[in-house]
Amino acid sequence: MVFELLAAGANAAPQNKFGFAEALQQGGFIAYATVVILGIMSFGSFYILFTKWFEQSKIMRQGRDVRSSFWRANTLRDGANKLEKNSAWRQIVDDGIAAEDQHAKMTDSLDAHDWLHGSLARSEASDNARLASGLPFLATVGATAPFIGLFGTVVGIYRALINIGIAGSASIDKVAGPVGEALIMTALGLLVAVPAVLAYNYLQARNKRIAEQLAGFATDVLANINSKGAVKPSVTAAPAAKPAAAPAAAAPKA
């Protein structure tokens, strides 16, 4: 008898009709479309964040290798062979060498420094443009996602007002669903926008540091070419390995 009463009480317990899935069902096509658009924006933002982070980390690691080994080579061509192919650093060196060869074939009186400087500047701009790819998407998501969520909020409030007008009273069971839907859309818009803005600022700051390093490297390459290899940045010698300590002599036995 007790078990039957408990089962009857469980069956009579009120069901939650105001969950996330229920709110989407009440919102219909507009609610589903808003969630899908925000989901695509969120996925794209995190994809760009991770792919650009790995790309930037690779360039920074290559920059450390350049500072430690590249300028130890006898010529730029020998140093370029030590760099990874298709890297930003290799592109600057290759473009500088190509510009030097092209200037030797020119018949006018164009100054070699101006020609090399312009060629290296174009190479830097190409690298910086490649690093900046994807960041406009993050900026767009950060600027528009709250308004997309706000659109879903406006629709939810509108539906709540319609229910109030039809029922003639603002009872909680008439407005809880649409108002809950409106709040969910607002929260989703902010949840998508905030990570996108943080990712944009973080990646942009790293791009600026990389651009400064590339600009300094291009200046060093230009000076090296104009001086016929006489001018090179100072390279700190790698610390020599400490000799292993000699084993202590065994104490004589008594």
Side-chain angles (χ1 to χ4, degrees):
M1 185 66 176
V2 175
F3 292 106
E4 293 179 357
L5 292 175
L6 292 175
N11 293 332
Q15 301 295 325
N16 181 16
K17 298 181 181 181
F18 307 108
F20 179 75
E22 289 75 13
L24 292 182
Q25 292 177 358
Q26 293 179 9
F29 173 77
I30 294 179
Y32 282 110
T34 303
V35 171
V36 169
I37 293 173
L38 292 176
I40 294 174
M41 286 183 167
S42 179
F43 175 80
S45 298
F46 281 100
Y47 175 80
I48 292 174
L49 171 61
F50 289 115
T51 54
K52 300 305 292 186
W53 184 86
F54 282 115
E55 181 182 359
Q56 292 172 342
S57 299
K58 181 179 179 181
I59 294 178
M60 290 180 176
R61 175 182 56 80
Q62 293 170 345
R64 291 190 292 268
D65 296 338
V66 167
R67 290 189 292 272
S68 62
S69 63
F70 175 78
W71 292 112
R72 299 181 187 276
N74 295 326
T75 63
L76 286 181
R77 297 181 189 274
D78 294 338
N81 293 330
K82 298 181 180 181
L83 301 177
E84 297 183 19
K85 295 183 178 179
N86 300 324
S87 69
W89 311 95
R90 178 70 178 267
Q91 179 180 338
I92 290 177
V93 177
D94 290 342
D95 290 345
I97 295 174
E100 183 183 18
D101 296 338
Q102 293 169 357
H103 183 267
K105 300 177 183 178
M106 292 183 179
T107 57
D108 59 3
S109 59
L110 179 63
D111 185 70
H113 174 81
D114 294 338
W115 171 253
L116 291 172
H117 184 270
S119 299
L120 292 174
R122 289 194 300 271
S123 183
E124 289 180 56
S126 176
D127 292 333
N128 292 331
R130 186 170 65 252
L131 285 171
S133 62
L135 297 188
F137 179 83
L138 293 177
T140 302
V141 171
T144 60
F147 295 101
I148 295 176
L150 182 62
F151 173 76
T153 301
V154 172
V155 173
I157 297 298
Y158 173 72
R159 293 180 57 252
L161 294 176
I162 291 179
N163 290 343
I164 292 174
I166 294 175
S169 62
S171 58
I172 189 64
D173 60 329
K174 299 298 182 182
V175 300
V179 171
E181 172 197 342
L183 296 177
I184 288 174
M185 296 304 168
T186 302
L188 288 178
L190 296 176
L191 188 63
V192 173
V194 172
V197 173
L198 295 177
Y200 175 83
N201 293 331
Y202 175 70
L203 296 177
Q204 188 72 2
R206 285 165 64 92
N207 277 349
K208 289 182 179 179
R209 292 199 299 269
I210 294 174
E212 292 174 357
Q213 296 175 5
L214 291 176
F217 180 69
T219 301
D220 293 336
V221 171
L222 177 61
N224 185 270
I225 294 176
N226 285 338
S227 63
K228 303 301 180 183
V231 177
K232 289 184 178 181
S234 59
V235 180
T236 304
K242 294 182 179 180
K253 296 182 179 180

